Amino acid sequence: YLSGIPVLIILTISTIFSSFYSLFMTTVFSLGRPIETTKIELVKSIINIGGCLLVIKLLGISGIAIIGLISTIAGLFMGYFILRKFIFTKIDLEIFKKVLLISIFCGIIIGVPQFLFYSLKTVIVSTLIGIIIFIFTIKNAISADDKELLKSIIKRIWKKF
């Protein structure tokens, strides 16, 4: 299982970018611009297929994960610039940097012990420690408005259960 850790790390990083990509693409589509979303998906597909064919023999499955990350980042930037044509978009880069650094730090807290001392106990303990640190540090990184929004989302989800 340890040989899959680099791929998992790359895919985890890709997930961070993918969340923003989904947000931009949903917004562009909701604005009645399906042609633009189709163009972006086409470019992403070309990058994925072409890139994977080029790197699979050299880098194997890690190369495929890297190409997936590259295509997601390319789609993210394309989606952002297309979205800017239709509505004003503002990304708070300071908060994004804080959340990204907190996520990387917690990823290290969770990943390094598992890499060095892999066992079920290590997985559980390091994951719990990472989650607790993430929760306490993220509270200081986000704005009061974001905290209220997060609370309302959690309340809605909690009511369903």
Side-chain angles (χ1 to χ4, degrees):
Y1 295 114
L2 293 179
S3 63
I5 289 177
V7 175
L8 182 61
I9 291 169
I10 295 167
L11 293 175
T12 302
I13 293 168
S14 183
T15 302
I16 294 168
F17 292 105
S18 183
S19 62
F20 287 101
Y21 169 77
S22 297
L23 177 65
F24 292 154
M25 294 301 288
T26 303
T27 306
V28 170
F29 190 81
S30 298
L31 291 170
R33 303 290 185 183
I35 297 298
E36 281 78 6
T37 58
T38 303
K39 289 176 186 176
I40 294 170
E41 288 298 331
L42 180 64
V43 170
K44 276 187 65 182
S45 297
I46 290 170
I47 292 171
N48 267 324
I49 294 169
C52 288
L53 290 173
L54 291 173
V55 302
I56 191 156
K57 287 188 179 181
L58 182 64
L59 299 174
I61 193 76
S62 295
I64 293 173
I66 291 168
I67 294 299
L69 173 61
I70 291 169
S71 71
T72 300
I73 292 172
L76 171 68
F77 282 112
M78 288 176 63
Y80 175 73
F81 288 115
I82 287 174
L83 186 60
R84 280 185 28 183
K85 289 181 186 178
F86 305 113
I87 63 172
F88 173 74
T89 55
K90 180 185 174 206
I91 298 174
D92 190 345
L93 290 177
E94 192 60 37
I95 290 179
F96 178 77
K97 284 191 276 187
K98 287 179 183 178
V99 171
L100 183 62
L101 289 173
I102 291 168
S103 299
I104 290 169
F105 177 69
C106 290
I108 291 169
I109 289 172
I110 293 170
V112 170
Q114 291 179 34
F115 183 74
L116 296 175
F117 316 104
Y118 186 77
S119 71
L120 181 60
K121 181 180 176 182
T122 305
V123 170
I124 293 170
V125 171
S126 64
T127 302
L128 287 174
I129 291 170
I131 290 170
I132 290 167
I133 290 173
F134 181 81
I135 290 170
F136 283 113
T137 53
I138 202 73
K139 285 172 46 178
N140 296 326
I142 61 176
S143 68
D145 291 339
D146 290 337
K147 288 177 187 175
E148 288 301 316
L149 177 63
L150 190 58
K151 284 179 186 178
S152 69
I153 291 170
I154 291 171
K155 284 179 184 177
R156 278 192 211 162
I157 293 171
W158 191 253
K159 285 181 183 179
K160 290 182 180 182
F161 293 108

